[in-house]
Amino acid sequence: MSTSKVNNDFIWQDRDVRFDSKAAELELRKGEVAIETQHNVEDTKGNVGDRGMLVSTNLRLMWISAKKRRTNLSIGLHCVVSVRMSVKTTTLKGTVHSVVVMTKYNKSNFEFIFSISAANAEPNLFVHVQKLFKSYDATRLYRDLKLRGAIIKNKELDLLRHEQASVMG
């Protein structure tokens, strides 16, 4: 699902779900801001027992394995369908806080579960992920216009391909 060449003009970070990306694809692009970074987070569904770092940005969620940086996820916020949190207590791991991120990408549905033990977690640990998704979802139209559809360039109307402007008299 990952492209081999990173094109800085093409904004894919909020529109793609990528697995095992190259280091260059994990770098923040111009205008992307890291909002929160959490350590000791397990990708419970895809990399059981492997802890890593969960980075929330204004465009995506990234999980990067602490053992092997090449094992990673980039989840664009545009692909996110829902976010829910849970707290479970098991005999093996004790109390565990989790965030479940449901996504849709290229006609496929993906479920990602990120977990952290309560011993390493603060109360409301994953609340920011839920708030980030709600904020992104509420501003989709503005983001599309701002990120992809700047309509004025060099004080001229920038027409889309096959678009024509007419003068109303």
Side-chain angles (χ1 to χ4, degrees):
M1 284 191 206
S2 178
T3 58
S4 58
K5 183 180 178 188
V6 178
N7 181 348
N8 288 331
D9 295 330
F10 175 64
I11 302 171
W12 60 267
Q13 286 82 355
D14 68 330
R15 298 284 175 140
D16 286 6
V17 172
R18 294 189 179 188
F19 301 89
D20 302 333
S21 297
K22 294 178 182 176
E25 294 176 339
L26 298 176
E27 291 177 13
L28 301 182
R29 68 164 289 115
K30 183 179 178 185
E32 186 175 17
V33 178
I35 296 169
E36 187 160 350
T37 301
Q38 297 173 0
H39 298 275
N40 295 315
V41 176
E42 180 181 330
D43 173 15
T44 308
K45 191 137 187 187
N47 297 288
V48 179
D50 191 359
R51 292 187 180 163
M53 170 174 61
L54 184 65
V55 180
S56 304
T57 79
N58 56 328
L59 298 177
R60 59 185 164 162
L61 295 174
M62 292 184 288
W63 180 84
I64 303 162
S65 171
K67 289 181 187 174
K68 198 164 103 177
R69 189 167 169 83
R70 181 70 180 175
T71 303
N72 58 65
L73 298 166
S74 176
I75 305 165
L77 292 177
H78 190 81
C79 301
V80 175
V81 175
S82 68
V83 174
R84 66 180 165 82
M85 295 179 300
S86 70
V87 177
K88 293 183 181 176
T89 303
T90 65
T91 54
L92 185 61
K93 291 188 176 184
T95 303
V96 176
H97 294 262
S98 299
V99 62
V100 180
V101 181
M102 299 297 297
T103 65
K104 188 172 185 91
Y105 177 69
N106 278 350
K107 299 180 184 176
S108 296
N109 296 320
F110 297 101
E111 178 182 59
F112 300 96
I113 303 173
F114 301 106
S115 304
I116 192 166
S117 87
N120 296 329
E122 300 171 17
N124 303 321
L125 176 69
F126 292 119
V127 170
H128 77 279
V129 174
Q130 200 167 36
K131 287 181 179 180
L132 181 64
F133 168 65
K134 285 181 181 179
S135 174
Y136 182 92
D137 196 40
T139 59
R140 280 181 197 263
L141 184 58
Y142 171 76
R143 287 174 186 273
D144 278 349
L145 237 146
K146 187 78 172 165
L147 290 174
R148 293 178 179 79
I151 58 173
I152 304 292
K153 286 187 182 171
N154 298 325
K155 298 183 182 179
E156 295 283 330
L157 182 63
D158 186 25
L159 299 177
L160 300 173
R161 192 175 354 166
H162 306 297
E163 186 178 28
Q164 295 178 357
S166 60
V167 179
M168 299 191 65

